[in-house]
Amino acid sequence: MSDVHYQSLEKTGAFEKPEKRSKRSKIIVGFLVEFLLVTETVSKIAVSVVGLLILIAIGVAVGVIVSNNNKEKSSGNSSNGTKSGSNSNSADPSLFKKDARLHRSLYGLAYTPEGSLPDHGCSSTLAYIDHLFQLMSQLTPRIRLYGADCNQTALVLEAIKQTKVDLKVYLGNYVVDGDPGAYERQRDVLKEALQTYGSANIAGITVGNEFMLNYVTGHKIEDVNSAEADAGAAILVENIADTRAMIASLNLPNPIPVGNSDAGSYFSNKVLENVEYGLSNVHAWFANTTIEESSPWVRRFFDETNVQPASLLPNKPTMYLAETGWPTGSKDLGNANNGFADASVVNLQKFIDAFVCQANADGVPYFFFEDIKYGGVEGYWGLFNKDRTLKDITFPTCISP
């Protein structure tokens, strides 16, 4: 995930680091009938009356047609052909058409609502998120967020409530080195959202995303588990403890695990020892693999670098693939190929075919990267285009665990 606030300072090897105006047609039909002085003969008067009645009849007919057309447009029943999962009843977001091309085969999706970053103007709307959840809920039972700015936590939980979809959310607090206010601000809005919506749809709260990657590269530290790096880890550990205290103060009926997310090789053991789960960003694209080797490479890297080391820690945190997938394009020609494979829809399909069902069968938890719009291939990881149309891909019918 990348942004001024959500951005790795360096991407190394495997590390990573998606107004509609309703127009109402107004047709004003005016009939100006100017009557001249009629003659004294009855026959001429009769002809004038008949002509007037004909004009009135035409006006009524046109009015009915226009009215019916406007009703059709406002009802939301007109077919858009290319959009996935269009609403069948715009007044009730829980009533929407299912898309036969979508199958609930994915374990999870990594997601940031468009317009929910402070430097993007905090422009995300509930209606937009409602529509996205109608789509994403047909692909997965889980999503993960990166942060809590721009009221995105409450918007997401309200969207789940309105659409009535079966989705669990890993909420996020994006911790910024040197800006303790960023953590505190997000903690407070997370608390408010939990007080309003409860914990029924919360799978966890993730404190920090690629914080240690940013910390060690920013301070020119080579070893993430060195004494120098421990100063950065201490910031996260303090925030994690504070998040647990916030959750405990609410006396919620369902427990909420607390975790951390980072780039694959940048997990601090001191951080992992203080969380229930770790979310690891692993992308074969940045390791310059071929598309044929991409799926087994991700699985092997994740197991050797994250799963096995975590199992040796006293608390044995559960490890997840927090971001994975394959880009379908690039903003510049220099990043359109990683040296061994193209960024293309064809290769995304190959990765889906090789990875999804096998990971499901083996019990490997993962989140497909469904973001966003920055340099190089950053804006091309999603399964959907920016206009919410599905890319030219198909999904397997195996069921997500």
Side-chain angles (χ1 to χ4, degrees):
M1 165 68 188
S2 299
D3 188 73
V4 173
H5 298 291
Y6 294 71
Q7 182 176 22
S8 306
L9 298 179
E10 176 179 280
K11 294 191 169 54
T12 338
F15 322 119
E16 174 69 14
K17 36 34 303 350
E19 157 186 69
K20 187 176 183 182
R21 281 189 255 169
S22 62
K23 297 181 179 179
R24 292 189 179 181
S25 301
K26 279 192 175 180
I27 302 176
I28 301 174
V29 180
F31 296 99
L32 179 60
V33 180
E34 181 179 350
F35 294 101
L36 300 175
L37 291 174
V38 296
T39 63
E40 294 179 354
T41 65
V42 174
S43 60
K44 288 184 179 180
I45 294 175
V47 169
S48 298
V49 170
V50 170
L52 179 59
L53 290 174
I54 291 172
L55 287 175
I56 292 172
I58 292 172
V60 170
V62 171
V64 169
I65 291 170
V66 171
S67 175
N68 286 340
N69 285 341
N70 284 340
K71 283 179 183 177
E72 265 187 44
K73 290 177 182 178
S74 65
S75 70
N77 290 333
S78 58
S79 172
N80 56 22
T82 59
K83 291 282 176 71
S84 302
S86 59
N87 269 349
S88 59
N89 184 350
S90 59
D92 185 349
S94 69
L95 302 177
F96 57 94
K97 296 177 183 177
K98 299 296 178 65
D99 191 326
R101 298 170 299 172
L102 307 182
H103 307 291
R104 222 172 203 218
S105 52
L106 305 183
Y107 183 89
L109 287 171
Y111 167 65
T112 295
E114 185 177 359
S116 61
L117 302 178
D119 57 344
H120 289 182
C122 292
S123 59
S124 190
T125 66
L126 180 59
Y128 185 80
I129 298 176
D130 278 349
H131 191 104
L132 287 176
F133 279 17
Q134 291 166 352
L135 298 177
M136 291 194 292
S137 64
Q138 297 177 65
L139 287 172
T140 182
R142 305 170 189 87
I143 62 170
R144 64 164 292 228
L145 302 179
Y146 290 83
D149 278 325
C150 296
N151 201 37
Q152 62 181 280
T153 306
L155 284 171
V156 162
L157 295 176
E158 180 64 25
I160 293 175
K161 177 181 176 181
Q162 290 196 3
T163 57
K164 300 178 183 177
V165 295
D166 177 21
L167 273 179
K168 295 290 188 293
V169 186
Y170 288 83
L171 303 177
N173 187 326
Y174 195 88
V175 182
V176 181
D177 183 25
D179 183 7
Y183 163 78
E184 294 167 0
R185 177 181 70 247
Q186 293 172 85
R187 176 204 60 202
D188 292 344
V189 296
L190 285 167
K191 180 178 181 179
E192 184 177 352
L194 291 172
Q195 289 171 321
T196 302
Y197 295 98
S199 57
N201 293 106
I202 311 303
I205 296 180
T206 308
V207 180
N209 181 73
E210 295 189 342
F211 178 89
M212 291 306 299
L213 168 63
N214 291 339
Y215 187 88
V216 299
T217 54
H219 291 80
K220 296 181 172 56
I221 300 170
E222 293 186 4
D223 184 359
V224 72
N225 284 302
S226 65
E228 296 85 357
D230 286 349
I235 297 172
L236 282 178
V237 170
E238 181 180 353
N239 293 158
I240 289 164
D242 185 64
T243 298
R244 281 208 178 91
M246 179 271 287
I247 295 171
S249 72
L250 299 177
N251 295 314
L252 298 167
N254 302 310
I256 299 178
V258 178
N260 170 250
S261 177
D262 222 302
S265 286
Y266 286 85
F267 277 98
S268 160
N269 286 338
K270 289 191 178 299
V271 174
L272 284 180
E273 287 171 353
N274 286 277
V275 294
E276 283 116 320
Y277 66 88
L279 293 165
S280 175
N281 301 337
V282 179
H283 290 287
W285 168 266
F286 292 113
N288 301 328
T289 69
T290 64
I291 188 59
E292 290 76 19
E293 179 59 18
S294 60
S295 176
W297 185 91
V298 167
R299 294 283 304 277
R300 184 170 60 251
F301 179 93
F302 177 57
D303 182 65
E304 294 175 356
T305 310
N306 302 132
V307 176
Q308 293 184 34
S311 70
L312 301 177
L313 298 176
N315 57 323
K316 295 179 169 49
T318 302
M319 300 302 294
Y320 298 78
L321 276 166
E323 293 177 2
T324 198
W326 194 267
T328 57
S330 173
K331 288 186 176 179
D332 55 272
L333 290 176
N335 287 290
N337 185 289
N338 68 0
F340 297 90
D342 290 333
S344 68
V345 174
V346 170
N347 282 342
L348 171 60
Q349 184 67 67
K350 289 180 179 178
F351 185 84
I352 290 171
D353 292 343
F355 180 84
V356 170
C357 290
Q358 192 61 56
N360 289 349
D362 293 342
V364 177
Y366 61 88
F367 293 81
F368 257 76
F369 194 29
E370 182 63 31
D371 269 346
I372 202 171
K373 48 176 188 272
Y374 298 97
V377 297
E378 274 295 328
Y380 297 87
W381 290 95
L383 305 172
F384 295 91
N385 298 304
K386 182 176 173 60
D387 62 358
R388 305 189 304 275
T389 55
L390 182 66
K391 292 180 179 179
D392 189 17
I393 55 177
T394 59
F395 295 97
T397 56
C398 58
I399 303 301
S400 164

